[in-house]
Amino acid sequence: MTDTVWMNWQNDQLGARIRVALWLHNEIGEGNRFNKQQLRQAIPDVEQVDRRMRDLRPAGWIIRTYRDMANLSPDELLLEKIGAHIWEPGQRSAGLRAISSKLRREVLERDHHRCVRCGISAGEPYPDDPSSSARLTLGHVTPHKHGSAAHLENLITECARCNEAVKHLTGVQFSAEQVWDRIQELPKREKQKLLAWMAADRRLMLETEQVWALYRQLPAIHREALNKRLGTVLGTGDGSAS
Ligand SMILES: [Zn+2]
């Protein structure tokens, strides 16, 4: 058996991540578009093959979706840059560096245990899909270079849905017009807030929400005391809703 046959994306003896990398490298090529159906047809025997494709990002691969490129249609992907050749000996573990639990905790704390993209917190159901609840994960701000260590500045808290943009393609979809209708219903102040979030491509924490996150960290007895105190200041008695 020659190396060429062995190092083929059709070889099911290879790991799924390597097969996806080989398929993209040999069949698609840098700068070209493809879709998830093609990927699934090429490597049909692997579950969650698109997850394996996302696993290439920490190895320097840049794969764009319609979410970050306006000229892609929702089922299209663009192989912008081929990263580490993970099928080559010595490159196998590129991008597989584990994030320490300490670093993970630091990132989550800095981001107030919320997805910086959509603002959802862990376990909270999605407003547009109440049957599924959010799981928080760490994403990379920019695909990190092969060999560089994971660090705080390059990591952000994202929910699995925002992180797995490709998977989201199969999920609940609203048309741009439907979203625009909802935008128009917002009061002007809220529209301005939304515009700032759009510019930053993340949900900026409002001051009230920051205080809420701080309040939630307190033990129940202190929360109760603050609840009473604020209720008194606002003249609503014990602070409970009436
Ligand atoms: Zn999110």
Side-chain angles (χ1 to χ4, degrees):
M1 193 184 285
T2 69
D3 271 4
T4 347
V5 174
W6 178 244
M7 277 302 153
N8 188 296
W9 50 272
Q10 286 162 315
N11 181 356
D12 61 12
Q13 302 295 301
L14 294 171
R17 186 169 168 263
I18 290 178
R19 290 178 66 195
V20 173
L22 282 167
W23 179 74
L24 288 170
H25 178 266
N26 298 347
E27 303 295 313
I28 302 302
E30 222 170 62
N32 293 314
R33 294 172 184 207
F34 63 101
N35 62 46
K36 206 162 61 168
Q37 287 72 20
Q38 286 175 290
L39 174 65
R40 285 193 177 144
Q41 275 163 17
I43 306 169
D45 49 327
V46 171
E47 270 181 59
Q48 297 186 302
V49 67
D50 27 304
R51 187 185 285 264
R52 301 289 80 81
M53 179 176 66
R54 286 191 298 274
D55 290 344
L56 292 171
R57 289 178 176 154
W61 291 62
I62 303 177
I63 298 157
R64 302 281 188 199
T65 72
Y66 82 106
R67 284 167 67 98
D68 42 35
M69 276 187 82
N71 62 351
L72 290 175
S73 66
D75 63 337
E76 270 185 324
L77 298 142
L78 171 74
L79 177 57
E80 188 173 291
K81 186 178 176 294
I82 288 171
H85 288 190
I86 57 164
W87 54 88
E88 288 172 9
Q91 304 268 304
R92 290 283 161 94
S93 61
L96 290 180
R97 192 174 299 97
I99 294 164
S100 73
S101 53
K102 179 176 172 281
L103 181 57
R104 191 184 150 76
R105 212 167 40 240
E106 282 172 359
V107 175
L108 285 165
E109 270 168 27
R110 184 203 58 202
D111 296 336
H112 309 279
H113 296 269
R114 279 165 170 272
C115 170
V116 302
R117 304 292 180 202
C118 69
I120 206 157
S121 42
E124 200 180 317
Y126 288 101
D128 62 333
D129 184 13
S131 64
S132 69
S133 54
R135 183 173 57 81
L136 294 182
T137 174
L138 299 192
H140 291 96
V141 181
T142 53
H144 59 80
K145 286 194 288 297
H146 174 46
S148 74
H151 57 94
L152 195 60
E153 300 75 48
N154 198 32
L155 291 168
I156 46 165
T157 307
E158 286 181 325
C159 71
R161 196 169 87 171
C162 290
N163 183 260
E164 296 167 8
V166 179
K167 187 177 174 188
H168 182 48
L169 297 178
T170 60
V172 185
Q173 293 285 318
F174 292 92
S175 72
E177 278 312 306
Q178 283 171 312
V179 178
W180 178 243
D181 287 345
R182 294 292 298 272
I183 291 173
Q184 283 185 305
E185 285 167 17
L186 297 172
K188 186 162 186 203
R189 224 190 109 115
E190 297 299 312
K191 283 196 187 98
Q192 282 162 340
K193 218 182 276 172
L194 183 64
L195 188 61
W197 293 1
M198 285 172 172
D201 196 24
R202 57 165 68 195
R203 175 175 159 180
L204 306 168
M205 281 264 272
L206 307 176
E207 208 148 343
T208 317
E209 291 172 331
Q210 290 175 19
V211 179
W212 171 255
L214 293 175
Y215 165 81
R216 284 297 308 167
Q217 288 173 359
L218 296 171
I221 187 157
H222 292 154
R223 293 206 307 268
E224 207 175 298
L226 287 181
N227 183 342
K228 280 211 173 91
R229 201 164 157 186
L230 183 60
T232 308
V233 168
L234 293 176
T236 54
D238 63 358
S240 63
S242 52

